[in-house]
């Protein structure tokens, strides 16, 4: 296809336009000039050149002594490697040079040195004693660097060192100098560093040392004249409390927190509040009720008058606070805290204005952003508030708040409540039906971020809604939620129309749970065809594979033979025999999923021959993909029942070996032949070493047989009762039936004869037992976790590859009944599929309409329209 011609106004060659182009070119020239000027002169290159014969240690010493800053930074960044390679020489020759350079080093070299020192510690390249002797003094020397970023980098390294240093070293090298560093006469930066070091060191010493040497410093810093120091020390009180125990915490830490909570600085009060919330578990009931609760109450009352940043912190910690103080609230206090939370959930929503966003003053915009953060934190704490009010009171106390959060105008709020939706559903348990409408609202949300957050736990949410509360006593699953299916389909269409294909892929994967949630007919008419369309038309491979796998699961649990047959026929004709090579590749992906999800006999009956027919495909990529799949295909065969299929497989492999012209495909064929030759054969009878895989396959086969028996028995029941058996009544009856722990062992297996029909049982007792058994299976199969399909073994063992198999004759194949997949009418189904029916060959002509994907990267010469047919075995 040729690109469309440009618009008339695009082809403007007027004088003004040409002058505009010239100006653009001049700007580009100006941009390039500094690049040319920055090139090194020969003299500079000479100075940067180093003798190649120097060892790593000698080169490092030379560059640190005579090199430029960038070369010295490179040496320091490479210091961990030098220590690993030759620790003794590095510490003796390189490290002294590093110390000298760091005295006059710039910010970049200082930051690099801090990271390198920390890396050497983490890699344990030298002993702790050697590290302390060689590196500790360098770290301490640069702690008070004038640049805040450099100082913080060295502090992080020191805090990592403190974790591993022995007590004696800590006391002499760090604690003793800290006494003078924490005095008021020192700089604010020095006192801030002292606060963080004290918080890290407390749990390294015994109670006596802490009480005598550390706690006096802590009290002094809590009463510092600078609010920054008081706030920093207050945030370290949590670590100190964990190191000194409960008694000292009550006698020393709690009084300091109480005093700091009344500090004139808002940041200090905020730090005190957050520390109190984090230490709630340390204090007993009396301390909580008599000391902490009044402080918290006062803090909440004053928060609306203070800075919005305090509201942000308060809203974030409110859930933990209510949980920690639960049980000591009076009814009035309980109600006040609940009303306070509700007020925060709608903060900023009452301020309606019709101004354009560009006309709003910057301070108002900043305030609105803080209000959004408050509501987002409230959404985060919503599950904790359900526990606070008791789930039984949810409808009366919190439903209106939940409604507001789900309909909040800001995406971050709705995103957070979508993440919490599963937790809310679990907490409500029998009352989960109350939030059905909110689920629909979030599924229909215009933001794909909200949808992506919700679908992470969509299967669990839908399962809770289909089995929990009042919905469990209704006639049909989710009958009280008629908008669910339209919401799910609309969500998928929005994801498909966007560029966020990962969200689309995830949603299609989660749709695999639908057979356990809604009826088979609903899936067939509303979802299954859509999955097939995605497989056929979507351009994103992971999305196509997700749709293909979900389609196979829908097919696995479909309860009507006509529908199953129609899907199988479409898969073979439109994918396996499609004109586009891309569709044929997707057919092989589908075959892989069918091997994983269905029984071996099902695959052999319907997909074995269409799959190996692709050995004749004209596109090399299709043949190559089939070669990779052949070991799994062969693992579905059982001897002696599938001898004729094994012979077909061997014949196709021989043709590939003899006739393949593409060198890449031929190389893969040879490797595949060796792999097939090493494989062992799975027998009809159980083998000890393959017992678990064979047992799992037998269970799959029994379930497939029972699905067909169910439909037959339902038809007989409808005829005998004279009225149709509705989906609703069947679902209700199935739920009322207890599921046995194991499936019945004596399941009659249909053995197809020449006519493709099985002999029905005429005994009423046998029919009755089949009905009970089929209903029990349906209950088990549909309510089992769909994730169990992932555990299905897709790799079974098969016989070694033999050059020839003779002695074919009549073979009784253990499989599904032949009439299980019939077309709806003869006109709409020109081809039928049964174990003994001949499959049409791949006929792909090169007509006028050619699919753009029909030309692969490797293709044989032009195709010839041929029709291949294979006679069935007698």
């Amino acid at each position: 296809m040729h690109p469309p011609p440009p618009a008339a106004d695009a082809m403007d060659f007027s004088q003004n336009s040409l002058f505009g182009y010239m100006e653009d070119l001049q700007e580009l020239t100006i941009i390039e000039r500094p690049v040319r000027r920055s090139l090194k002169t020969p003299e500079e290159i000479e100075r940067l050149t180093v003798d190649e014969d120097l060892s790593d240690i000698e080169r490092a010493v030379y560059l640190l002594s005579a090199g430029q800053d960038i070369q010295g930074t490179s040496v320091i960044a490479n210091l961990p490697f030098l220590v690993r390679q030759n620790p003794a020489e590095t510490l003796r020759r390189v490290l002294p040079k590093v110390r000298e350079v760091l005295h006059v080093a710039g910010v970049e070299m200082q930051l690099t040195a801090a990271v390198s020192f920390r890396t050497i510690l983490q890699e344990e390249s030298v002993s702790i004693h050697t590290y302390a002797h060689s590196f500790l003094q360098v770290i301490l020397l640069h702690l008070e660097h004038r640049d805040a970023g450099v100082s913080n980098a060295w502090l992080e390294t020191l805090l990592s060192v403190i974790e591993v240093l022995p007590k004696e070293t800590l006391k002499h090298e760090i604690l003793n100098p800290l006494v003078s560093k924490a005095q008021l006469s020192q700089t604010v930066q020095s006192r801030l560093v002292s606060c963080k070091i004290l918080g890290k060191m407390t749990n390294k010493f015994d109670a006596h040392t802490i009480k005598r040497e550390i706690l006096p410093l802590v009290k002094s810093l809590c009463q510092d004249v600078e609010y920054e120091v008081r706030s920093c020390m207050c945030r370290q009180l949590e670590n100190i409390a964990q190191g000194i125990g409960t008694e000292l915490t009550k006698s020393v830490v709690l009084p300091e927190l109480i005093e700091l909570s009344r500090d004139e600085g808002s940041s200090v009060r905020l730090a005190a509040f957050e520390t109190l919330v984090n230490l709630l578990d340390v204090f007993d009931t009396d301390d909580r009720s008599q000391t902490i609760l009044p402080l918290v109450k006062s803090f909440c009352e004053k928060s609306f008058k203070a800075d919005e940043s305090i509201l942000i912190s308060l809203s974030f910690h409110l859930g933990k606070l209510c949980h920690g103080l639960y049980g000591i609230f009076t009814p009035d206090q309980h109600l006040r805290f609940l009303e306070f939370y509700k007020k925060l959930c709608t903060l900023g929503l009452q301020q309606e204005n019709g101004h354009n966003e560009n006309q709003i003053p910057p301070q108002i915009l900043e305030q609105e952003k803080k209000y959004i953060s408050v509501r987002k934190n409230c959404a985060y704490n919503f599950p904790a508030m359900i526990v606070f009010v008791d789930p039984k009171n949810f409808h009366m106390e919190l439903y209106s708040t939940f409604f507001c959060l789900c309909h909040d105008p800001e995406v971050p709020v709705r995103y957070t409540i979508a993440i919490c939706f599963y937790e809310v559903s679990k907490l409500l348990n029998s009352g989960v039906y109350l939030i059905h409408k909110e689920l629909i609202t979030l599924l229909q949300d215009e933001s794909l971020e909200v949808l992506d957050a919700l679908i992470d736990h969509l299967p669990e949410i839908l399962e809770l809604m289909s089995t929990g509360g009042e919905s469990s006593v209704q006639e049909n699953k989710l009958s009280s939620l008629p908008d669910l299916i339209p919401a799910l389909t609309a969500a998928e269409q929005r994801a498909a129309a966007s560029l966020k294909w990962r969200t689309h892929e995830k949603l299609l994967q989660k749709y695999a749970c639908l057979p356990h949630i809604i009826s088979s007919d609903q899936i067939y008419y509303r979802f299954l065809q859509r999955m097939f369309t995605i497989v056929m038309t979507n351009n994103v491979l992971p999305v196509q594979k997700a749709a293909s796998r979900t389609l196979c699961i829908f097919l696995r649990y479909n309860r009507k033979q006509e529908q199953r047959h129609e899907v199988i026929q479409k898969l073979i004709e439109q994918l396996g025999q499609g004109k586009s090579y891309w569709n044929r590749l997707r057919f092989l992906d589908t075959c892989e999923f069918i091997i994983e999800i269905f029984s071996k006999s099902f695959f052999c009956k319907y997909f074995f021959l269409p799959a190996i027919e692709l050995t004749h495909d004209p596109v090399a990529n299709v043949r190559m993909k089939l070669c990779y799949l052949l070991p799994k295909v062969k693992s579905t065969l059982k001897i002696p029942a599938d001898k004729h299929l094994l012979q077909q497989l061997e014949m196709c492999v021989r043709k590939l070996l003899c006739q393949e012209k593409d060198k890449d495909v031929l190389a893969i064929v040879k490797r595949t032949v060796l792999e097939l030759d090493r494989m062992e054969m799975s027998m009809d009878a159980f083998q000890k070493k393959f017992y678990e895989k064979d047992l799992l396959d037998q269970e799959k086969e029994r379930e497939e047989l029972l699905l067909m028996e169910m439909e037959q028995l339902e038809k007989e029941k409808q005829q005998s009762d004279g009225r149709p058996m509705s989906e609703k009544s069947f679902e209700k009856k199935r739920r009322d039936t207890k599921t046995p722990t194991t499936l019945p062992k004596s399941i009659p297996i249909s053995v197809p004869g020449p006519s493709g029909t099985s002999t029905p049982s005429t005994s009423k007792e046998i029919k009755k037992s089949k009905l009970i058994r089929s209903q029990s299976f349906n209950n088990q199969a549909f309510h089992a976790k769909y994730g169990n399909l992932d555990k299905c073994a897709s790799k079974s063992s098969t016989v070694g590859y033999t050059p020839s198999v003779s002695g074919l004759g009549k073979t009784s194949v253990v499989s599904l009944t032949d009439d299980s997949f019939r077309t709806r009418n003869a006109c709409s189904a020109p081809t039928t599929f049964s174990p003994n029916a001949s499959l049409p060959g791949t006929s792909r002509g090169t007509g006028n309409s050619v699919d753009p994907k029909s030309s692969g990267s490797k293709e044989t010469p032009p195709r010839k329209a041929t029709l291949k047919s294979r006679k069935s075995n007698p």
Side-chain angles (χ1 to χ4, degrees):
M1 293 179 62
H2 297 287
D9 56 353
M11 302 176 64
D12 184 11
F13 294 104
S14 62
Q15 189 174 4
N16 293 334
S17 177
L18 290 174
F19 279 129
Y21 297 149
M22 293 295 293
E23 291 177 359
D24 293 339
L25 291 174
Q26 288 176 358
E27 290 179 1
L28 291 174
T29 306
I30 293 172
I31 293 173
E32 288 182 355
R33 282 175 187 169
V35 177
R36 293 172 182 170
R37 290 173 182 173
S38 65
L39 296 176
K40 302 297 181 184
T41 62
E43 293 78 11
E44 290 175 327
I45 294 176
E46 181 66 26
R47 287 200 302 268
L48 292 171
T49 303
V50 181
D51 188 1
E52 295 181 358
D53 296 332
L54 294 177
S55 66
D56 292 340
I57 299 294
E58 293 172 343
R59 185 183 299 111
V61 172
Y62 173 77
L63 292 176
L64 288 171
S65 302
Q68 297 189 3
D69 286 347
I70 189 172
Q71 293 174 315
T73 303
S74 175
V75 171
I76 294 176
N78 201 38
L79 197 61
F81 170 76
L82 295 176
V83 173
R84 287 196 306 269
Q85 188 182 46
N86 194 342
E89 285 297 306
T90 303
L91 297 179
R92 187 177 67 86
R93 299 182 60 188
V94 180
L95 192 58
K97 291 293 182 181
V98 172
R99 292 197 195 100
E100 293 177 9
V101 172
L102 287 178
H103 283 294
V104 293
V107 172
E108 185 178 357
M109 188 179 292
Q110 289 275 356
L111 294 174
T112 304
V115 173
S116 294
F117 281 26
R118 187 160 64 248
T119 302
I120 293 170
L121 175 72
Q122 294 168 349
E123 292 179 351
E124 299 180 356
S125 303
V126 294
S127 65
I128 297 300
H129 176 75
T130 304
Y131 187 91
H133 177 73
S134 304
F135 296 93
L136 184 57
Q137 290 302 319
V138 182
I139 297 172
L140 293 172
L141 183 63
H142 298 282
L143 273 179
E144 299 179 29
H145 195 276
R146 60 182 177 273
D147 185 274
V150 173
S151 178
N152 289 331
W154 284 112
L155 179 60
E156 290 297 321
T157 302
L158 178 62
L159 296 179
S160 300
V161 174
I162 288 175
E163 293 182 357
V164 296
L165 285 179
K167 290 182 182 180
E168 291 301 320
T169 306
L170 278 175
K171 188 172 182 179
H172 290 94
E173 300 292 340
I174 299 178
L175 181 57
N176 292 341
L178 200 64
V179 175
S180 61
K181 296 289 184 182
Q183 300 303 316
L184 286 173
S185 58
Q186 298 294 323
T187 62
V188 173
Q189 179 68 20
S190 176
R191 302 204 298 275
L192 289 173
V193 168
S194 300
C195 293
K196 296 179 181 179
I197 293 175
L198 283 173
K200 193 71 173 180
M201 272 201 316
T202 305
N203 58 0
K204 291 289 184 179
F205 297 101
D206 56 89
H208 178 72
T209 304
I210 292 173
K211 190 173 182 180
R212 188 185 63 181
E213 300 187 19
I214 294 180
L215 289 183
L217 290 175
V218 171
K219 290 182 180 181
S220 173
L221 292 169
C222 285
Q223 299 171 4
D224 197 278
V225 294
E226 298 291 339
Y227 75 92
E228 297 171 336
V229 179
R230 297 197 302 274
S231 176
C232 182
M233 191 66 251
C234 185
R235 294 190 180 278
Q236 299 301 320
L237 289 179
E238 180 182 353
N239 296 330
I240 292 172
Q242 294 173 355
I244 64 179
T246 306
E247 294 302 323
L248 282 176
T249 299
K250 290 181 180 180
S251 61
V252 178
V253 175
L254 184 56
E256 294 295 333
L257 283 173
I258 293 172
E259 185 175 352
L260 291 169
S261 65
R262 302 189 181 103
D263 196 276
E264 59 184 9
S266 61
S267 62
V268 181
R269 295 197 303 271
L270 181 60
F273 169 75
E274 293 178 356
T275 304
L276 276 171
V277 173
N278 293 331
L279 290 176
L280 280 175
D281 295 337
V282 177
F283 304 117
D284 55 25
T285 305
D286 292 337
D287 292 328
R288 294 180 194 176
S289 59
Q290 297 174 10
T291 306
I292 298 176
L293 183 57
L295 288 174
V296 171
K297 182 180 176 182
S298 173
F299 190 82
C300 293
E301 290 173 352
K302 297 177 181 179
S303 60
F304 282 101
K305 302 176 184 179
D307 184 23
E308 286 81 6
S309 58
I310 294 180
L311 280 176
I312 294 175
S313 176
L314 179 58
S315 62
F316 181 76
H317 291 91
L318 196 59
K320 186 187 292 187
L321 183 65
C322 291
H323 176 73
L325 297 177
Y326 187 80
I328 66 172
F329 285 117
T330 64
D332 183 57
Q333 291 170 340
H334 189 282
L335 182 60
R336 284 189 180 184
F337 267 87
L338 182 59
E339 291 301 322
F340 179 74
Y341 172 75
K342 292 180 181 179
K343 190 175 181 180
L344 291 179
C345 288
T346 57
L347 187 65
L349 296 180
Q350 299 87 354
Q351 300 177 358
E352 297 292 338
N353 59 76
H355 300 290
N356 189 357
E357 186 174 342
N358 297 327
Q359 300 174 353
I360 301 176
Q363 60 270 22
I364 301 298
L365 286 175
E366 188 65 27
Q367 186 184 53
E368 289 183 358
K369 289 180 180 179
K370 292 180 179 179
Y371 287 161
I372 292 170
S373 298
V374 170
R375 300 200 304 273
K376 177 183 176 182
N377 291 338
C378 289
Y380 168 77
N381 282 304
F382 194 83
M385 298 309 296
I386 292 179
V387 177
F388 182 67
V389 302
D390 195 299
K392 296 178 182 178
N393 302 322
F394 169 79
H395 188 263
M396 184 182 300
E397 302 289 351
L398 283 177
Y399 175 74
S400 60
T401 303
F402 187 69
F403 177 88
C404 291
L405 292 173
C406 291
H407 291 81
D408 194 278
E410 299 298 332
V411 172
V413 181
R414 303 197 306 274
Y415 174 83
T416 305
I417 200 66
I419 291 176
C420 299
F421 200 94
Y422 175 51
E423 292 297 326
V424 172
S425 303
K426 286 196 301 183
L427 289 170
L428 292 180
N429 196 9
S430 60
V432 70
Y433 66 93
L434 294 170
I435 58 174
H436 279 177
K437 293 181 180 178
E438 283 63 43
L439 174 63
I440 301 301
T441 299
L442 294 176
L443 281 172
Q444 295 175 338
D445 196 280
E446 60 184 7
S447 171
L448 280 180
E449 293 179 8
V450 177
L451 178 63
D452 189 82
L454 182 67
I455 61 180
D456 282 333
H457 292 286
L458 186 62
E460 294 85 354
I461 294 171
L462 293 178
E463 184 180 358
L464 285 170
M465 290 198 168
S466 66
T467 59
E470 293 184 1
S471 63
S472 62
V473 300
Q474 297 179 5
E475 287 188 344
N476 193 18
K477 295 176 284 186
L478 293 180
S479 61
S480 63
L481 196 57
D483 296 333
L484 174 64
I485 293 178
L488 290 173
T489 55
E492 188 277 323
Q493 290 171 1
R494 283 202 319 279
S498 72
L499 297 177
K500 297 183 178 180
W501 63 266
R502 288 181 177 84
T503 299
H504 193 199
E505 177 194 16
K506 188 197 300 186
L507 185 62
L508 294 176
Q509 291 170 346
K510 300 300 181 182
Y511 278 3
C513 74
L514 292 180
H516 317 290
I517 308 299
I518 58 179
S519 68
S520 175
D521 280 342
Q522 288 173 319
I523 291 175
Y524 178 77
Y525 290 111
R526 301 302 298 272
F527 293 97
L528 199 146
Q529 181 57 40
R530 176 60 181 165
M531 296 299 111
F532 194 84
T533 302
I534 294 171
V535 175
M536 292 284 294
T537 62
N538 198 279
N539 293 323
V540 182
L541 180 58
V543 172
Q544 285 184 304
K545 288 188 174 182
S548 176
R549 192 179 192 282
T550 301
L551 186 149
C552 291
I553 293 175
F554 289 168
L555 177 63
R556 171 70 175 78
Y557 289 109
N558 189 283
R559 290 173 42 205
K560 293 191 176 179
Q561 296 178 11
E562 292 181 357
Q563 295 175 359
R564 289 197 300 269
H565 170 72
E566 182 179 348
V567 174
I568 292 173
Q569 191 173 18
K570 279 186 175 181
L571 287 173
I572 294 175
E573 292 181 352
Q574 298 185 31
L575 285 182
Q577 300 172 359
K579 291 182 179 180
S580 168
Y581 88 98
W582 190 257
N583 288 341
R584 301 197 295 276
L585 289 173
R586 300 292 73 78
F587 176 74
L588 293 176
D589 290 331
T590 305
C591 288
E592 191 169 0
F593 294 135
I594 288 172
I595 293 173
E596 172 192 352
I597 296 169
F598 289 83
S599 66
K600 296 178 180 179
S601 60
F602 182 91
F603 177 81
C604 290
K605 183 175 182 180
Y606 296 104
F607 291 94
F608 186 92
L609 293 179
I612 64 174
E613 279 289 328
L614 293 178
T615 55
H616 308 294
D617 197 276
V619 180
N621 287 352
V622 178
R623 301 195 302 274
M624 188 181 299
K625 188 174 184 66
L626 176 62
C627 291
Y628 285 121
L629 187 64
L630 284 179
K632 290 185 178 181
V633 170
K634 187 177 179 182
S635 70
T636 62
L637 300 178
K638 293 183 179 180
I639 295 299
D642 297 328
K643 279 186 177 179
H644 61 295
L645 296 179
L646 180 62
Q647 188 179 34
Q648 299 268 18
L649 177 63
E650 292 168 352
M651 188 183 305
C652 292
V653 174
R654 282 196 210 98
K655 287 183 178 179
L656 280 174
L657 279 172
C658 299
Q659 302 176 5
E660 183 58 53
K661 296 179 181 179
D662 188 280
K663 61 178 182 179
D664 296 327
V665 178
L666 185 60
I668 296 171
V669 170
K670 292 178 179 178
R671 291 202 301 267
T672 303
V673 168
L674 295 176
E675 186 176 352
L676 291 173
D677 190 50
R678 289 193 296 266
M679 293 176 66
E680 297 183 9
M681 196 67 184
S682 179
M683 311 298 291
D684 280 343
F686 276 65
Q687 294 174 281
K688 188 174 181 179
K689 59 181 176 179
F690 304 131
Y691 179 79
E692 291 184 2
K693 293 181 180 179
D694 292 342
L695 185 63
L696 181 61
D697 182 69
Q698 188 185 56
E699 292 300 320
K700 291 181 186 178
E701 192 169 344
R702 286 176 179 173
E703 292 172 3
E704 292 160 4
L705 289 167
L706 288 173
L707 273 174
M708 291 184 295
E709 286 184 6
M710 269 197 296
E711 183 181 11
Q712 185 63 30
L713 293 172
E714 284 179 31
K715 289 180 180 178
E716 293 178 4
K717 184 174 179 59
Q718 291 174 11
Q719 294 174 359
S720 62
D721 294 348
R723 58 183 177 85
M725 185 177 182
S726 66
E727 183 79 20
K728 293 182 178 180
S729 59
F730 184 84
E731 293 292 339
K732 184 175 184 300
K733 186 171 182 179
R734 191 199 61 203
R735 284 195 302 269
D736 296 338
T737 306
K738 289 186 177 180
T739 306
T741 56
T742 57
L743 290 171
K745 294 182 179 179
S746 56
I747 301 295
I749 305 297
S750 300
V751 180
S755 61
T757 59
S758 59
T759 306
S761 175
T762 58
S763 171
K764 293 182 178 180
E765 290 78 4
I766 295 177
K767 287 185 178 181
K768 185 176 180 180
S769 64
K770 283 185 176 182
L771 179 60
I772 295 173
R773 194 167 60 241
S774 63
Q775 290 174 343
S776 300
F777 156 71
N778 200 28
N779 193 8
Q780 180 174 357
F782 277 75
H783 287 281
K785 288 286 187 182
Y786 78 97
N788 290 341
L789 292 172
D790 297 333
K791 300 178 183 178
C792 296
S794 61
K795 293 182 180 179
S796 300
S797 302
T798 52
V799 161
Y801 179 79
T802 53
S804 64
V805 176
S806 58
L808 293 178
K810 281 192 175 182
T811 307
S812 297
V813 182
V814 181
S815 60
L816 310 182
T817 54
D818 290 347
D819 58 350
S820 60
F821 293 92
R822 287 179 180 166
T823 54
R824 295 192 174 188
N825 50 65
C827 297
S828 62
T831 308
T832 57
F833 301 100
S834 64
N836 298 325
S838 59
L839 288 171
T842 56
S843 175
R844 307 183 188 93
T846 57
N848 295 331
S849 60
V850 181
D851 194 303
K853 294 176 181 176
S854 61
S855 57
S857 60
K858 294 183 178 179
E859 219 170 315
T860 57
R863 309 174 186 174
K864 296 180 180 179
T866 58
L867 184 63
K868 300 179 182 178
S869 61
R870 174 168 293 162
K871 291 185 179 180
S872 58
N873 294 316

